């Protein structure tokens, strides 16, 4: 545990906080993954919401926090697990925790800049025109609750989830020894889920194969 306590902050600071390319790669790859989930008519909603992030930054984030549980969980945890988040309410923050939190701040910010417009764009598409039948939808506008649920689903599929019940049990462990081996597990777990989702949709009748391949190409290869 002593080795892990010392090594993890060093890893975070040198591999993430002090390396701008890591932040740019995370935000860039998350944006590319997101684009794959709006092919086939949804691009206009995504472009509009990305533009809004540049002109109405605070309101876009505040509104997303209130409307979408997935966004709320991401903004609350910022790459920290629930145990650390909850204990910080009652206990002084250790130097290790501070190093990890500030080390992840840049990546958490770049994640927010893509996850928030992803949620809003999915919501806009769902409530205005619905999801095409060849992409698994009904082709008709959704009700408010359905549109919010769809937006949460797209954020989970494109970016992974910070909600405890949607994460692998390996990420919810309290073992510091196991955490030492799962620092980068979230990204790989999300990628694995995207691969299985694409494979499943390719074998589902009525789903557009080009749309699935475009999504998988953006999420897994580009």
């Amino acid at each position: 545990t002593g080795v892990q306590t010392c090594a993890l902050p060093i890893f975070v600071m040198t591999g993430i906080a002090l390396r701008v390319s890591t932040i740019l790669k995370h935000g860039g790859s998350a944006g590319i993954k997101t684009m794959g989930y709006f092919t086939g008519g949804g691009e206009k909603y995504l472009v509009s919401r990305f533009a809004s992030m540049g002109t109405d930054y605070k309101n876009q984030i505040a509104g997303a926090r209130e409307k979408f549980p997935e966004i709320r969980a991401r903004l609350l945890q910022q790459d920290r697990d629930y145990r650390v988040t909850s204990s910080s309410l009652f206990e002084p923050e250790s130097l290790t925790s501070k190093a990890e939190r500030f080390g992840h701040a840049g990546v958490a910010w770049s994640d927010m800049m893509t996850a928030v417009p992803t949620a809003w764009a999915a919501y806009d598409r769902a409530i205005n025109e619905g999801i095409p039948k060849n992409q698994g939808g009904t082709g008709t506008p959704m009700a408010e609750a359905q549109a919010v649920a769809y937006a949460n689903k797209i954020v989970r599929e494109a970016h992974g989830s910070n909600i405890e019940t949607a994460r692998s049990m390996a990420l919810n462990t309290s073992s510091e020894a196991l955490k030492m081996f799962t620092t980068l597990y979230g990204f790989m777990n999300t990628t694995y889920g995207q691969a299985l989702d694409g494979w499943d949709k390719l074998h589902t009748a009525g789903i557009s194969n080009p749309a699935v391949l475009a999504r998988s190409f953006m999420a897994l290869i580009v």
Side-chain angles (χ1 to χ4, degrees):
T1 301
V3 173
Q4 189 270 342
T5 301
C6 177
L8 188 55
I10 294 174
F11 173 83
V12 170
M13 295 306 293
T14 58
I16 299 177
L18 301 180
R19 187 173 294 173
V20 176
S21 62
T22 300
I23 298 173
L24 296 177
K25 286 175 184 176
H26 181 92
S29 64
I32 291 171
K33 284 177 181 286
T34 287
M35 290 167 58
Y37 284 80
F38 290 87
T39 56
E43 298 89 348
K44 59 185 178 182
Y45 297 106
L46 187 62
V47 170
S48 175
R49 284 297 181 172
F50 268 119
S52 294
M53 285 294 286
T55 59
D56 191 30
Y57 177 84
K58 291 184 178 180
N59 287 331
Q60 291 293 308
I61 295 172
R65 181 190 291 115
E66 292 298 320
K67 188 177 285 288
F68 309 114
E70 284 290 344
I71 297 299
R72 189 157 54 248
R74 301 182 88 81
L75 296 183
L76 281 172
Q77 294 188 38
Q78 292 196 345
D79 291 329
R80 295 185 296 170
D81 61 34
Y82 180 78
R83 185 175 63 87
V84 173
T85 303
S86 58
S87 66
S88 67
L89 297 174
F90 308 101
E91 301 172 5
E93 191 172 32
S94 67
L95 181 61
T96 299
S97 295
K98 287 181 180 179
E100 291 181 27
R101 177 162 60 85
F102 286 109
H104 280 116
V107 170
W109 176 84
S110 67
D111 176 86
M112 176 190 67
M113 293 297 290
T114 53
V116 168
T118 296
W120 276 124
Y123 172 82
D124 292 343
R125 187 183 190 187
I127 206 162
N128 283 298
E129 63 182 50
I131 310 307
K133 291 182 179 180
N134 66 359
Q135 293 184 25
T138 62
T140 58
M142 296 181 184
E144 172 71 13
Q146 291 176 311
V148 170
Y150 176 75
N152 286 324
K153 173 177 175 288
I154 292 300
V155 172
R156 283 196 300 271
E157 291 183 359
H159 294 271
S161 178
N162 271 19
I163 291 179
E164 299 298 305
T165 54
R167 301 169 73 196
S168 166
M169 290 305 293
L171 294 178
N172 292 335
T173 180
S174 60
S175 169
E176 295 295 337
L178 183 56
K179 284 183 180 182
M180 185 175 180
F181 296 97
T182 58
T183 303
L184 304 177
Y185 184 87
F187 174 80
M188 298 310 299
N189 190 48
T190 300
T191 302
Y192 176 63
Q194 290 165 338
L196 289 185
D197 179 63
W199 180 259
D200 180 66
K201 282 182 169 59
L202 286 173
H203 291 80
T204 301
I207 299 294
S208 169
N209 286 347
V212 174
L213 291 174
R215 175 185 294 192
S216 298
F217 183 79
M218 301 292 274
L220 302 173
I221 299 176
V222 178

